[in-house]
Amino acid sequence: MNIPEQIGNYTLDREIGSGASSQVWLAHHTKLPERQVAVKVLMSQEREAIRRFQREAAIAARLRHPNIVQLYDHGYSQPFFYTMLEHIEGGSLRQLIERQGRIQLDAALRIFRQIAAALDYAHSLGVVHRDMSPGNILIEQGSERALLTDFGIARENGQAITVVNAIMGTPGFFSPEHVQGARAVTHSSDIFSLGVIFYHMLSAQLPWDEPPGLPDNPGFDPPIPLRQRGVESMPADVDRVMLTMLALDPTRRFPSARAAVDELDRIFARHQMTTQIILGATPAAAPTPTGFQSVGVAANEIETTLGPDLIRAPIDRAHRRAEDMRSAPQLASLLDVWAGQHRMYIALLGRLARLHKASSANVYFYRLRLLYEQRSPAEDDEEPDIHAQPFALTPEVDRWKIELPVVTDFSEHPGDRVILPGSTRVVACRPCEGRGLTPCPHCHGKQRVLVTRQIAVSPTGAGAATAAATFPNGAGGGRRTRGSATQEAEPPATAQAPPAPRTEQVLVPCPECEGRGGITCARCEGVGRLVQRKTFRWRRRTDLIHAQDDRPALDESWLQRTCKAELIYRERQSGGFRPEWSTLKAIAPMLAEAQQRADPDTRIVLSELTITFIPVTDIVFDLGKPGDSGLYKLTIYGFENMIPADWRFFNWERVIMISITAFSLLIALICAYFAFR
């Protein structure tokens, strides 16, 4: 299809760009030749393409920002839909980098700040660009103004998504969320892409050797440091900013593009100050300050070392709070409100206070969670070799190399007994010396034992007796035998005392071993062999170590009741600690204490470091009273801006007056009582 020579009041002059489904033409007003616009003409007649083109126009019409290309008009000129846009004399950032390579730091920062401002503005209206790339950034010739354009695949909050699984964007510049699908792309995805653009400006290369997120390279690796790309004389903290912007977890990126700009400004401000001190002459003693001094949150090792792994939103919120606290009127207002909440305090304290200094910091709280695993030294375990089964010939394995149930969380486990592979062997039973029998403990292997039994005695005549064996069945107990004649025993004329019992010892078969002299070995159960293995016992237990930044005169219980600590870091490590933890001065003693609780039989199998913080601001002031040269120091805690009670600011005149009034009233009541009694 041929493009018409004129659309509306504009004459099309020449094509200045093209896309997958559209062309961009330079046009001028037919009556006002100096009035030039860029006309974007949709070449596709597909319903989805038309819908996206119209949606792009609707979104662009809402955006009014000096760093976003302005939309003038949108309509239909058969058979084309068109959009008239602000014409920017110049070219795209992509063309600039292709033409000259790396962009100088000052120019790159200038472009970065402008596009960050445009991006935050769009995000404030609920618009996600979704295709941040150098091709969609225009650089105006002469003014060096940077403008964001092409909202063709942008999305507004609450807008339905027609294509869920499609990957939209420019390869090499889209975020990990783009790979997950359109529904996962948020404003944090734009910040990721902006980080890639900034890296690309400084190095003329991508942060990776190959564009990630594509079928042949789906993973996102950490970015290559800028120094390895040949970018010299760059503060090392810039790489930390890159790691934060390009974090795989969106919550660990900067919450806004402006937050990334502020962090870069702080880095370069420190870097330039350090350079001036090193290169300049020996600085003279600083003059005594006569006005109000205020500083924001100073650089600290938590942000410097763990920056890319921190949850950024609370950190940047703390920096914004610190900037607010640099305002003397803001501090005076807080003091007024605080004093007004206590009737006995000096009224309008903030108006009376002459502020000398305000400085902000973050008080960090640390919790080290530990899971210890204990494995006892190996011990021999034996059982009878009843089945005589063969065992595989394998080398013996160390107890710490045996895989136990996988550690997934900090659950304690009572453990169990585990056999060491390769430690099984067959040995002769030591108690029975391999015979399967042990000497009978009753007969000591002699098969017989002496037993004692009684012999019954029967009386014959006067004082005479004949010995007769007593049998169990009582034979011979009722008859008397004389010669060959048997006659009934006559009852004695008089009763006689029973004879004294008699005993004798005889050898009988041992009843315990049934005359064998031995019994089955209880250890080997008669087989004469034992299966011997090495075993150990294991268990898991948890532990906690707490610490916090040392801050004098801090009422911890009051602080915990009053202010909420914000979570900024939580990381786990299997089998020990992360290397960066040991570089932190506040964390190193905790790690040392944790190691002391381990020994050769106990190891740390899982650790988790959690860091929370509460922002604080210290202010120094005086009350300007004649003859009062004392300075007061107060600390404002938390995002809640809480100040603990302080008796120094009692209005003692009011306290005395109230006391006198109360005492006088009491005396009057007593007098009245006795007067009318």
Side-chain angles (χ1 to χ4, degrees):
M1 292 182 290
N2 295 325
I3 300 294
E5 294 183 359
Q6 184 171 330
I7 294 179
N9 292 325
Y10 289 87
T11 300
L12 275 61
D13 297 328
R14 57 185 173 86
E15 183 181 350
I16 57 176
S18 62
S21 60
S22 61
Q23 294 180 1
V24 182
W25 286 72
L26 177 64
H28 68 274
H29 197 279
T30 55
K31 303 298 183 182
L32 304 170
E34 298 299 324
R35 172 73 167 177
Q36 291 184 321
V37 297
V39 181
K40 187 173 183 178
V41 181
L42 179 65
M43 306 302 295
S44 174
Q45 301 299 314
E46 295 180 0
R47 179 178 300 179
E48 179 63 22
I50 294 173
R51 190 188 65 81
R52 288 187 179 278
F53 193 74
Q54 292 175 331
R55 187 180 66 189
E56 175 188 6
I59 292 175
R62 295 178 53 207
L63 304 176
R64 300 285 182 177
H65 192 275
N67 298 111
I68 296 178
V69 175
Q70 186 176 352
L71 181 141
Y72 294 142
D73 195 9
H74 174 73
Y76 177 73
S77 179
Q78 190 175 3
F80 301 105
F81 286 89
Y82 67 90
T83 299
M84 290 185 179
L85 303 163
E86 176 185 6
H87 171 59
I88 305 301
E89 188 68 35
S92 69
L93 178 60
R94 181 188 64 193
Q95 293 169 335
L96 179 63
I97 295 175
E98 288 175 350
R99 184 171 62 252
Q100 73 175 44
R102 299 173 185 169
I103 297 177
Q104 294 298 317
L105 176 61
D106 290 345
L109 285 172
R110 184 167 54 251
I111 295 171
F112 182 77
R113 289 190 181 97
Q114 295 180 72
I115 299 304
L119 201 56
D120 280 347
Y121 170 77
H123 291 166
S124 70
L125 298 179
V127 176
V128 180
H129 191 282
R130 300 205 296 176
D131 193 15
M132 293 289 298
S133 66
N136 291 331
I137 296 174
L138 303 180
I139 308 298
E140 189 173 39
Q141 187 176 349
S143 69
E144 296 184 347
R145 182 168 61 119
L147 297 97
L148 184 59
T149 187
D150 196 351
F151 288 80
I153 63 172
R155 180 171 63 86
E156 296 178 283
N157 287 342
Q159 186 179 57
I161 298 176
T162 55
V163 182
V164 177
N165 296 321
I167 299 178
M168 298 181 178
T170 303
F173 292 90
F174 53 61
S175 69
E177 300 88 78
H178 282 76
V179 181
Q180 299 172 18
R183 198 180 300 276
V185 178
T186 65
H187 77 281
S188 291
S189 308
D190 285 345
I191 293 173
F192 182 97
S193 300
L194 181 62
V196 181
I197 292 171
F198 186 50
Y199 187 103
H200 188 57
M201 285 193 290
L202 295 176
S203 65
Q205 299 181 71
L206 292 176
W208 315 275
D209 290 330
E210 297 293 335
L214 300 177
D216 56 344
N217 185 31
F220 281 78
D221 296 324
I224 298 172
L226 285 166
R227 190 172 297 275
Q228 293 185 23
R229 294 298 197 192
V231 182
E232 303 291 341
S233 302
M234 187 73 68
D237 283 341
V238 174
D239 281 321
R240 175 172 57 82
V241 174
M242 291 295 181
L243 287 170
T244 302
M245 297 189 73
L246 303 183
L248 298 184
D249 183 354
T251 64
R252 293 179 178 174
R253 299 173 197 156
F254 292 104
S256 65
R258 179 65 196 179
V261 172
D262 291 342
E263 183 66 16
L264 285 171
D265 287 344
R266 284 191 289 268
I267 290 171
F268 286 109
R270 292 196 303 268
H271 181 67
Q272 292 170 359
M273 181 179 66
T274 303
T275 302
Q276 292 172 0
I277 292 175
I278 292 176
L279 297 181
T282 302
T288 302
T290 58
F292 173 55
Q293 292 182 321
S294 61
V295 293
V297 178
N300 57 77
E301 62 175 5
I302 297 297
E303 292 188 46
T304 302
T305 305
L306 303 178
D309 295 323
L310 297 178
I311 300 173
R312 288 301 311 184
I315 290 291
D316 291 298
R317 186 180 168 202
H319 281 289
R320 290 195 301 271
R321 174 189 177 276
E323 290 301 315
D324 292 340
M325 291 298 181
R326 299 184 67 178
S327 167
Q330 170 75 5
L331 294 174
S333 176
L334 287 173
L335 289 176
D336 281 343
V337 172
W338 175 65
Q341 294 172 348
H342 302 79
R343 295 188 60 184
M344 295 299 178
Y345 279 16
I346 300 173
L348 302 177
L349 179 64
R351 297 186 188 182
L352 296 175
R354 296 191 306 184
L355 293 167
H356 291 250
K357 184 178 180 181
S359 58
S360 296
N362 294 330
V363 178
Y364 294 98
F365 303 86
Y366 315 96
R367 186 184 76 163
L368 184 62
R369 196 176 182 187
L370 301 159
L371 181 65
Y372 289 95
E373 184 174 280
Q374 184 178 21
R375 302 190 183 190
S376 65
E379 299 177 348
D380 289 338
D381 181 77
E382 298 174 340
E383 64 179 6
D385 185 26
I386 297 175
H387 303 292
Q389 61 182 15
F391 300 101
L393 182 61
T394 57
E396 186 173 324
V397 179
D398 183 80
R399 57 176 167 157
W400 287 107
K401 294 183 179 180
I402 296 176
E403 294 185 4
L404 296 179
V406 178
V407 176
T408 57
D409 54 26
F410 285 89
S411 299
E412 294 192 343
H413 199 295
D416 201 353
R417 184 177 292 275
V418 178
I419 299 173
L420 285 175
S423 66
T424 304
R425 61 175 180 169
V426 179
V427 298
C429 178
R430 287 186 297 275
C432 68
E433 298 180 350
R435 294 192 297 267
L437 296 172
T438 57
C440 175
H442 192 58
C443 68
H444 303 290
K446 298 179 180 179
Q447 292 93 28
R448 307 168 186 85
V449 294
L450 281 172
V451 297
T452 301
R453 59 184 180 184
Q454 292 183 350
I455 302 175
V457 178
S458 298
T460 56
T466 302
T470 304
F471 298 96
N473 59 5
R479 291 180 178 271
R480 178 183 303 163
T481 304
R482 177 179 297 171
S484 60
T486 301
Q487 60 181 7
E488 293 294 332
E490 296 179 357
T494 60
Q496 297 181 355
R502 296 177 55 193
T503 61
E504 66 176 352
Q505 288 187 328
V506 295
L507 284 173
V508 298
C510 178
E512 294 293 329
C513 63
E514 299 178 348
R516 292 181 299 172
I519 60 174
T520 302
C521 178
R523 190 71 189 89
C524 68
E525 297 183 7
V527 297
R529 304 177 309 277
L530 296 174
V531 176
Q532 188 181 79
R533 302 181 180 91
K534 290 182 179 179
T535 63
F536 67 91
R537 296 200 65 88
W538 68 276
R539 69 183 184 96
R540 291 173 183 158
R541 61 178 177 85
T542 59
D543 206 347
L544 276 176
I545 300 176
H546 293 271
Q548 70 177 62
D549 289 345
D550 185 21
R551 192 168 182 84
L554 175 62
D555 186 346
E556 298 178 15
S557 60
W558 174 87
L559 186 62
Q560 293 176 359
R561 291 194 313 269
T562 309
C563 300
K564 177 186 176 183
E566 296 287 339
L567 174 68
I568 59 169
Y569 183 85
R570 176 175 288 157
E571 288 292 335
R572 289 183 177 182
Q573 180 66 29
S574 297
F577 308 123
R578 291 197 166 198
E580 59 268 24
W581 294 354
S582 60
T583 63
L584 300 172
K585 294 180 180 178
I587 307 297
M590 301 174 67
L591 304 185
E593 182 179 349
Q595 291 286 15
Q596 288 177 357
R597 301 180 185 182
D599 54 47
D601 299 329
T602 307
R603 293 184 180 181
I604 299 170
V605 293
L606 185 63
S607 61
E608 179 183 77
L609 178 63
T610 300
I611 302 177
T612 57
F613 82 100
I614 293 177
V616 300
T617 300
D618 294 321
I619 58 174
V620 179
F621 61 94
D622 66 63
L623 296 180
K625 295 181 180 179
D628 181 8
S629 60
L631 294 178
Y632 297 91
K633 180 180 179 181
L634 277 180
T635 302
I636 305 172
Y637 292 96
F639 291 110
E640 300 86 354
N641 292 333
M642 303 300 295
I643 305 176
D646 195 324
W647 63 269
R648 295 178 299 169
F649 301 100
F650 277 7
N651 187 337
W652 293 108
E653 295 178 358
R654 179 182 297 179
V655 172
I656 294 172
M657 182 63 66
I658 292 175
S659 300
I660 293 174
T661 302
F663 181 75
S664 300
L665 181 60
L666 178 61
I667 295 298
L669 290 174
I670 293 174
C671 293
Y673 172 77
F674 285 105
F676 294 99
R677 184 176 179 183

